[in-house]
Amino acid sequence: MSNPSVPIQSDPSAHSGVKALKCRECGRRYELLAIHVCEFCFGPLEVEYDYEVIGRKISRKSIEAGPVSLWRYKDLLPVLGEPTAGLHAGMTPLVRADRLGRALGLKNLYVKNDTVNHPTLSFKDRVVAVATTRARELGFTTIACASTGNLANSVSAHAASCGMECFVFIPHDLEAGKVLGNLIYKPTVVSVKGTYDDVNRLCSEIGAEYPWAFVNINIRPYYAEGSKSLAFETAEQLGWRVPDQVVVPIASGSLLTKIWKGFHEFTRLGLVDENPLLKVNGAQASGCSPVYQAYVSGKNHIVPVRPNTIAKSLAIGNPADGFYALDVVGKSGGQVEQATDSEIIDGMKLLAETEGIFAETAGGVTVACLKKLAEKGAIRPDELTVAYITGNGLKTMEALAGSLSQPVSIDPNLSSFRQIVNPKS
């Protein structure tokens, strides 16, 4: 069997803005292949760019003339040729959330709404678009993932659209909507009797044996970069401006770190002015809050936990990028908050009732933590604030069972309507 880490020798000259893979710990560089861990120190690898080359190619004008998708930022994404997957992902609405803001005492609040992302209604369509395109460049014909749900949906959909074989591995207790959201695309869905961390360990072993592109394992350095597009879009949609505060849900921690990186790349390239006030805040469910626990204890390392929360998309007890997320929060002067299951449901309801946005449980975590940050003055009323809502509530409807009012039942006549409903006007 061929080495699954090196299916094809890549040619970086096809896109000179992408230089190498670089270890985040020791700085060693590697070729742009399907590898994700440094062989010397076992640190994670990430993509290294040549910003001088990119700076000569990219501008506000070139971006605005690009496709209405995340691929308008192609020069800052780790693909060597033209995109071949997820061509309509990204460029989701940035909603000025006046009604939610009034409820929270915030006068300048926006919601980045990835509940309507294409094709599977979560931010994972961004990372999978990039991962799938890069996997195809590397010659893979099978794509796979370990997932808490949204990623599996997106991988399955992208594989179907590209004609790739697909295997997705999920925890056995995943929400029914997300399981169906996989099966409809006809991948091989493997339900594992364990937590997401158990699933991830198993997939690492499988990835060492089979020549598959595991988007969040051997393709992870490329996959993770897709999250930067959330920062790019936010800055562009704000009129080429960096916000003062952002609130980001934490699962693996990668999303938070890449949003921070995206804003800094735009600043470095002169596309936006630097905002020294930018604070990056993290949001976790209290039933799976290893980053929050490290933050409040003042520790610089993450102690793994066993998840027990309705926010299953955030239920990663041993987050791969937890330390790096904690580091970004600290550098930016932000904070990490947590929300209980009841607070998560209240957050989902508040967002829906004020802005008409039905978010999954992760969105409830973000709104609940945003509320806490506002209440204690960590976010001031006039600060330009963006909350990231990452997935659609249609996928986690069972979390709301018993917490919503029920339909009013009447007879099919006007008198019954007047007697029972009795509207005020």
Side-chain angles (χ1 to χ4, degrees), residues 176-203:
K178 290 179 179 175
V179 175
L180 290 173
N182 289 319
L183 295 171
I184 190 66
Y185 302 108
K186 210 173 181 181
T188 299
V189 178
V190 183
S191 176
V192 179
K193 298 174 183 177
T195 67
Y196 170 80
D197 299 289
D198 297 321
V199 176
N200 196 49
R201 282 191 294 271
L202 172 62
C203 288

Side-chain angles (χ1 to χ4, degrees), residues 104-421:
L104 302 181
L106 299 175
K107 300 176 182 178
N108 208 5
L109 175 64
Y110 290 80
V111 166
K112 183 59 172 162
N113 183 17
D114 261 23
T115 70
V116 293
N117 205 2
H118 184 276
T120 65
L121 310 179
S122 89
F123 91 97
K124 292 295 187 181
D125 291 326
R126 300 172 180 276
V127 291
V128 175
V130 176
T132 306
T133 294
R134 185 64 187 134
R136 298 181 83 190
E137 289 181 339
L138 288 167
F140 287 102
T141 58
T142 299
I143 196 163
C145 71
S147 175
T148 56
N150 283 324
L151 177 58
N153 289 180
S154 189
V155 167
S156 298
H158 282 79
S161 69
C162 295
M164 301 179 76
E165 191 171 3
C166 181
F167 293 81
V168 298
F169 297 80
I170 58 175
H172 70 286
D173 59 350
L174 203 60
E175 299 99 335
K178 290 179 179 175
V179 175
L180 290 173
N182 289 319
L183 295 171
I184 190 66
Y185 302 108
K186 210 173 181 181
T188 299
V189 178
V190 183
S191 176
V192 179
K193 298 174 183 177
T195 67
Y196 170 80
D197 299 289
D198 297 321
V199 176
N200 196 49
R201 282 191 294 271
L202 172 62
C203 288
S204 294
E205 296 175 14
I206 293 170
E209 295 291 328
Y210 293 84
W212 299 350
F214 270 91
V215 298
N216 54 343
I217 301 177
N218 58 340
I219 305 294
R220 185 177 180 85
Y222 312 103
Y223 155 93
E225 292 289 285
S227 293
K228 296 187 306 183
S229 61
L230 277 164
F232 299 156
E233 290 175 21
T234 298
E236 183 181 354
Q237 290 169 325
L238 287 173
W240 301 101
R241 180 181 176 185
V242 175
D244 301 320
Q245 299 262 11
V246 298
V247 182
V248 185
I250 295 176
S252 73
S254 176
L255 175 62
L256 185 147
T257 67
K258 295 305 180 182
I259 287 176
W260 166 261
K261 182 179 180 181
F263 285 129
H264 280 268
E265 285 184 333
F266 259 28
T267 300
R268 179 172 185 168
L269 292 165
L271 295 168
V272 295
D273 293 332
E274 182 179 6
N275 184 356
L277 301 177
L278 171 63
K279 292 182 175 63
V280 180
N281 303 282
Q284 287 207 292
S286 58
C288 185
S289 58
V291 179
Y292 170 80
Q293 297 300 334
Y295 171 77
V296 296
S297 67
K299 297 177 181 178
N300 64 356
H301 66 278
I302 306 297
V303 177
V305 302
R306 189 167 186 85
N308 181 21
T309 174
I310 61 171
K312 296 184 185 301
S313 62
L314 303 183
I316 298 179
N318 187 16
D321 289 280
F323 167 79
Y324 300 105
L326 192 65
D327 184 56
V328 165
V329 169
K331 284 179 179 176
S332 72
Q335 299 187 23
V336 184
E337 265 295 351
Q338 66 172 353
T340 65
D341 283 358
S342 62
E343 289 170 336
I344 292 167
I345 292 171
D346 288 343
M348 295 169 69
K349 292 164 66 176
L350 181 61
L351 180 61
E353 292 166 4
T354 56
E355 299 299 334
I357 296 172
F358 185 15
E360 67 165 10
T361 49
V365 172
T366 298
V367 173
C369 291
L370 170 68
K371 182 175 185 287
K372 291 184 175 182
L373 291 166
E375 287 174 343
K376 67 182 180 181
I379 298 177
R380 297 191 300 274
D382 292 326
E383 289 185 298
L384 176 54
T385 302
V386 178
Y388 288 90
I389 305 300
T390 53
N392 196 289
L394 294 172
K395 300 181 178 188
T396 60
M397 289 191 291
E398 56 262 55
L400 297 171
S403 65
L404 301 176
S405 58
Q406 296 302 302
V408 177
S409 179
I410 66 171
D411 294 326
N413 58 67
L414 185 58
S415 62
S416 179
F417 170 75
R418 286 172 174 165
Q419 180 180 0
I420 296 175
V421 178

Side-chain angles (χ1 to χ4, degrees), residues 2-29:
S2 62
N3 185 344
S5 295
V6 191
I8 285 182
Q9 184 74 19
S10 59
D11 179 15
S13 65
H15 189 314
S16 57
V18 184
K19 292 173 64 176
L21 296 179
K22 183 178 179 180
C23 178
R24 290 167 112 174
E25 295 298 322
C26 73
R28 284 183 170 84
R29 290 178 172 82

